[in-house]
Amino acid sequence: MIIFKNVNKWFGSLHVLKDINLHIHPGEVVVVCGPSGSGKSTLIRCINQLEPIQKGEIYVDGIQVNKRSTNLTKIRSEIGFVFQQFNLYPHLTVLENVVLSPIKVKKVPRKEAEENALRLLERVGIPDKANDYPSQLSGGQCQRVAIARGLAMNPKVMLFDEPTSALDPEMIKEVLDVMVELAQEGMTMIVVTHEMGFARQVADRVFFMDEGQIVESNTPDEFFDHPEHERTKEFLSKIITHN
Amino acid sequence: MLEHFSFRVIGQYLPLFLKGLWATCWISGISIFFALIIGVVACGMRLSKNKFFQKLAGIYIESIRSTPLLAQLYFFYFGLPSLHVNLNEVQTGILALALNSGAYIAEIVRAGIVSIPHGQVEAATAYGLNYFQRMRYIILPQALGVTIPALLGQFIVLVKDSSLVSLISVLELTRAGQLMASERFMPAEGFFTVAAFYLLIYYILKYLSNWWQNRLIYMEGH
Ligand SMILES: Nc1ncnc2c1ncn2[C@@H]1O[C@H](COP(=O)(O)OP(=O)(O)O)[C@@H](O)[C@H]1O
Ligand SMILES: [Mg+2]
């Protein structure tokens, strides 16, 4: 589904991704964790080419994305992306936020797009907010709208960049619940998060990133109970005392 | 002093003033319309990744903003015919006003655009919207929203600036005052009336601007 081959990325002289190789299968849920600045966001932003890479190859569903001839719009419309800061469009209602890309990019008829959007809003638990503006919603509700916006494209993969880090503690669960459900329905997901409960419950694999490399990759139970690397142990001890 | 002030003559000249007022309004209206288009295009070029467009827009904006409008007006009025481009006075006036205002509008819109948080643009990119769709559906609606007061301010400036086209003998408000002043030797009455009409236009635009600003505050309050 998603393949990285010797991927390298630099910001100027800063080497942020170092020879990344990975292979994610359809239906798999992968959690990525690691210290701040280790390159987690950059890793998933490369997948839909929000960040270009300088070396290596990235494939999504068999298509190489880092090639000039690739139709990026098509690739992007098959990948849902959920940002830490929600990044909803504040001048549009919740419904308009969700239907914009299906209508403009996928050319879905408005009526069909709206019906689908209402179903998705129901699924993320906020059917009554369709005509509100994002500024009228709580953070947790905003993030659920953002997830609905992603699902509206009928994506093959959903990418999450620290979806609960900007939320007040009491709202984290409502967002995680939606994500757990999504995972159990078989969605392919890559989730950058430090929510260990989520990782244990639904992840197939956990990656630990440090200084631009995937240092460790394992099943959640192995990863949390028997970390192999020093850096992983150190990192886990920090987030455990923190939680 | 006021007993010498001839309201009767003002009354006589009223049809001329109204004709001038109308001309000022439509010349300004057409000019601001083209200025908006020029401004948005120039701004898009300046913010584009293409170095050539960037440079071109930069040269246009800088050269307009660093020279007086009167010089620009004369440049088109006297310069274009020698390039075998023949426009009448009104067309020349509109061209100069639109190009002049366009440069200022480009900067106003740019300020509005850079005020849009980058995350939204990223989200729109991630969801497959291309450059024009991002502009059309995400950036411009918000950028224009917050810049409407500044744009109306620019429109007020343009209305006042349009008085300069009287110098190439277009009959508009100021020209009407000049005619009355020179035909009846009544500069006080003539230009007082001109000023009063400009004030009227100003208050109407100002009212619109305030109305919009309140609406904006109301929308943000939600
Ligand atoms: N747009 C950018 N320009 C320059 N450096 C960047 C940019 N984005 C991220 N970086 C740097 O790249 C490194 C990895 O960042 P990031 O992928 O955001 O890490 P993480 O998500 O793990 O915190 C950091 O050192 C960060 O400062
Ligand atoms: Mg990050």
Side-chain angles (χ1 to χ4, degrees):
Chain A
M1 184 84 229
I2 292 178
I3 299 170
F4 277 49
K5 281 188 186 162
N6 301 319
V7 169
N8 282 273
K9 170 159 184 76
W10 287 264
F11 281 118
S13 60
L14 190 66
H15 199 175
V16 279
L17 294 181
K18 300 173 186 162
D19 255 331
I20 304 272
N21 286 288
L22 56 82
H23 196 143
I24 290 163
H25 304 278
E28 216 180 358
V29 176
V30 172
V31 161
V32 181
C33 61
S36 173
S38 57
K40 306 180 297 294
S41 299
T42 308
L43 178 83
I44 63 169
R45 290 160 59 87
C46 288
I47 296 173
N48 64 358
Q49 292 287 287
L50 279 180
E51 298 289 355
I53 59 170
Q54 282 76 36
K55 231 178 98 185
E57 293 157 30
I58 299 176
Y59 295 87
V60 174
D61 211 17
I63 298 166
Q64 189 178 350
V65 296
N66 61 320
K67 237 179 28 187
R68 266 186 170 271
S69 57
T70 305
N71 181 353
L72 266 187
T73 302
K74 184 160 186 307
I75 300 278
R76 284 173 175 158
S77 68
E78 290 169 353
I79 301 174
F81 201 111
V82 176
F83 299 86
Q84 181 175 357
Q85 302 292 344
F86 330 136
N87 295 347
L88 296 177
Y89 315 128
H91 61 302
L92 300 178
T93 63
V94 164
L95 188 67
E96 291 296 328
N97 264 276
V98 178
V99 299
L100 183 67
S101 280
I103 291 176
K104 301 300 173 193
V105 180
K106 290 207 141 173
K107 312 290 181 204
V108 177
R110 171 166 280 273
K111 190 158 172 291
E112 197 183 315
E114 286 186 354
E115 283 167 6
N116 189 38
L118 290 174
R119 264 198 304 275
L120 289 171
L121 289 175
E122 178 126 23
R123 182 160 156 201
V124 299
I126 39 177
D128 50 332
K129 299 289 181 192
N131 295 313
D132 288 6
Y133 285 89
S135 56
Q136 293 166 276
L137 306 185
S138 70
Q141 291 171 331
C142 280
Q143 197 60 300
R144 286 185 282 157
V145 172
I147 294 173
R149 175 173 69 175
L151 293 174
M153 298 298 272
N154 210 358
K156 293 181 175 151
V157 193
M158 286 286 284
L159 309 176
F160 296 81
D161 192 0
E162 305 208 31
T164 56
S165 305
L167 298 178
D168 293 334
E170 72 271 19
M171 293 172 186
I172 291 178
K173 186 170 177 305
E174 66 190 49
V175 172
L176 288 180
D177 284 348
V178 171
M179 292 169 59
V180 166
E181 205 173 296
L182 203 57
Q184 287 167 345
E185 286 166 13
M187 177 63 77
T188 311
M189 294 163 68
I190 304 180
V191 185
V192 176
T193 186
H194 294 159
E195 294 292 336
M196 290 172 34
F198 174 81
R200 277 190 193 270
Q201 193 179 349
V202 295
D204 298 301
R205 277 188 288 168
V206 180
F207 292 170
F208 176 69
M209 275 194 85
D210 193 31
E211 294 181 353
Q213 288 173 310
I214 296 178
V215 178
E216 189 160 344
S217 156
N218 221 328
T219 61
D221 289 338
E222 281 297 310
F223 181 86
F224 291 116
D225 300 336
H226 309 286
E228 286 169 15
H229 291 259
E230 246 354 273
R231 293 298 308 242
T232 318
K233 286 177 198 161
E234 197 182 313
F235 174 76
L236 285 177
S237 72
K238 273 184 203 148
I239 62 167
I240 286 165
T241 48
H242 176 79
N243 276 354
Chain B
M1 199 213 141
L2 210 59
E3 59 264 30
H4 299 298
F5 206 86
S6 178
F7 286 104
R8 194 178 53 79
V9 179
I10 293 178
Q12 274 178 12
Y13 271 81
L14 201 57
L16 184 69
F17 278 118
L18 290 180
K19 212 173 147 200
L21 175 67
W22 171 238
T24 290
C25 289
W26 73 258
I27 289 174
S28 304
I30 293 180
S31 301
I32 197 78
F33 173 76
F34 285 115
L36 276 171
I37 296 175
I38 295 170
V40 169
V41 170
C43 171
M45 282 165 60
R46 189 160 218 194
L47 293 176
S48 82
K49 291 210 176 93
N50 185 313
K51 283 271 185 307
F52 173 74
F53 285 147
Q54 253 181 39
K55 200 92 195 157
L56 198 66
I59 291 171
Y60 159 64
I61 293 168
E62 297 284 301
S63 49
I64 292 286
R65 284 162 58 100
S66 61
T67 54
L69 172 58
L70 186 57
Q72 295 159 19
L73 185 65
Y74 281 157
F75 172 78
F76 291 121
Y77 188 58
F78 296 112
L80 287 185
S82 65
L83 298 172
H84 304 290
V85 179
N86 288 308
L87 301 176
N88 66 30
E89 286 83 2
V90 173
Q91 290 165 342
T92 309
I94 290 174
L95 177 68
L97 288 171
L99 281 175
N100 179 271
S101 250
Y104 289 91
I105 288 175
E107 290 294 273
I108 292 173
V109 174
R110 189 168 72 107
I113 287 176
V114 298
S115 77
I116 308 293
H118 188 62
Q120 290 173 37
V121 184
E122 244 176 12
T125 310
Y127 283 104
L129 297 178
N130 63 33
Y131 176 81
F132 290 102
Q133 290 172 324
R134 295 199 295 272
M135 276 288 169
R136 164 74 183 78
Y137 299 110
I138 307 301
I139 300 173
L140 285 181
Q142 296 184 71
L144 290 178
V146 297
T147 52
I148 287 281
L151 287 175
L152 276 169
Q154 180 59 35
F155 190 27
I156 291 170
V157 169
L158 188 147
V159 170
K160 292 189 292 179
D161 282 352
S162 74
S163 67
L164 285 179
V165 304
S166 65
L167 295 172
I168 57 172
S169 56
V170 174
L171 176 67
E172 42 67 77
L173 199 47
T174 304
R175 183 76 184 150
Q178 283 169 358
L179 286 176
M180 174 174 165
S182 60
E183 288 172 16
R184 296 296 184 94
F185 306 107
M186 288 179 175
E189 285 86 345
F191 291 115
F192 170 81
T193 312
V194 166
F197 278 121
Y198 278 118
L199 204 63
L200 179 70
I201 301 177
Y202 167 79
Y203 273 116
I204 293 173
L205 292 177
K206 181 83 186 154
Y207 175 81
L208 283 178
S209 172
N210 287 346
W211 173 78
W212 185 268
Q213 208 133 28
N214 287 339
R215 216 180 96 110
L216 217 59
I217 292 166
Y218 172 80
M219 278 181 355
E220 273 166 14
H222 271 265

